[in-house]
Amino acid sequence: MESGGSFYSYGLIAALILFLFIPAMNIMALTIANTNIRAEEIAIRRTFGASRISSFFQIIMENLFLVALGAVIGLTFAIPAMNIIQRNVMNNSFMEGLSLIDHIDYQVIFLGVLPAIFIFSLLSGGLPAYLISKHSIAKVLKGI
């Protein structure tokens, strides 16, 4: 039996959750600031008949699009970046035979990364979307 295996797997899960939570809080703060700037625009849309739910989903969908775009860009540049790192850093070292990425496991991308994108988008965009959709139209347009 491996020593510390259970602790290691729980620690790994906790680290993954923490690494998902910290950027989500960071992006949520940026999204709240951006949404507060756009509050007047959303209030005007609501005066023309948009519901709270449509305002909520507009912000969520914009955030989901941005998070998905960031993930696609990250996945697109990950392999060339790893190849550059391997070529420039790992050659002429004791790790010369080590490969950073052997192959891409698309099952991990579809079953791990895409759900993480969805969760990250809900974490970082859900609260700002809820807060701005709940605001009173009159107060927002008055600047209160």
Side-chain angles (χ1 to χ4, degrees):
M1 184 170 201
E2 187 177 318
S3 175
S6 174
F7 179 74
Y8 177 74
S9 61
Y10 288 130
L12 185 63
I13 291 170
L16 287 174
I17 289 172
L18 185 66
F19 288 135
L20 182 66
F21 185 72
I22 290 172
M25 294 303 290
N26 223 354
I27 300 251
M28 186 182 343
L30 291 171
T31 306
I32 287 172
N34 186 32
T35 306
N36 285 336
I37 291 170
R38 295 182 55 207
E40 191 172 316
E41 169 198 338
I42 294 168
I44 291 171
R45 283 188 73 241
R46 288 194 46 217
T47 59
F48 285 121
S51 67
R52 287 183 180 192
I53 293 174
S54 70
S55 297
F56 176 80
F57 279 113
Q58 176 191 2
I59 297 168
I60 286 286
M61 294 311 286
E62 287 175 2
N63 197 37
L64 181 62
F65 175 74
L66 290 175
V67 170
L69 182 66
V72 167
I73 290 171
L75 289 172
T76 302
F77 289 116
I79 292 185
M82 288 298 138
N83 289 333
I84 290 170
I85 290 170
Q86 182 154 355
R87 187 174 55 247
N88 295 332
V89 176
M90 297 180 80
N91 285 344
N92 302 326
S93 72
F94 68 93
M95 297 183 288
E96 188 172 355
L98 181 66
S99 176
L100 291 175
I101 297 179
D102 286 334
H103 68 285
I104 297 176
D105 189 358
Y106 291 104
Q107 183 177 4
V108 170
I109 291 174
F110 289 116
L111 296 178
V113 174
L114 292 179
I117 289 170
F118 185 71
I119 291 169
F120 185 82
S121 180
L122 288 177
L123 281 174
S124 65
L127 181 63
Y130 172 74
L131 290 175
I132 201 65
S133 67
K134 169 179 122 156
H135 280 203
S136 168
I137 298 170
K139 287 183 180 179
V140 171
L141 292 176
K142 285 181 182 178
I144 298 175

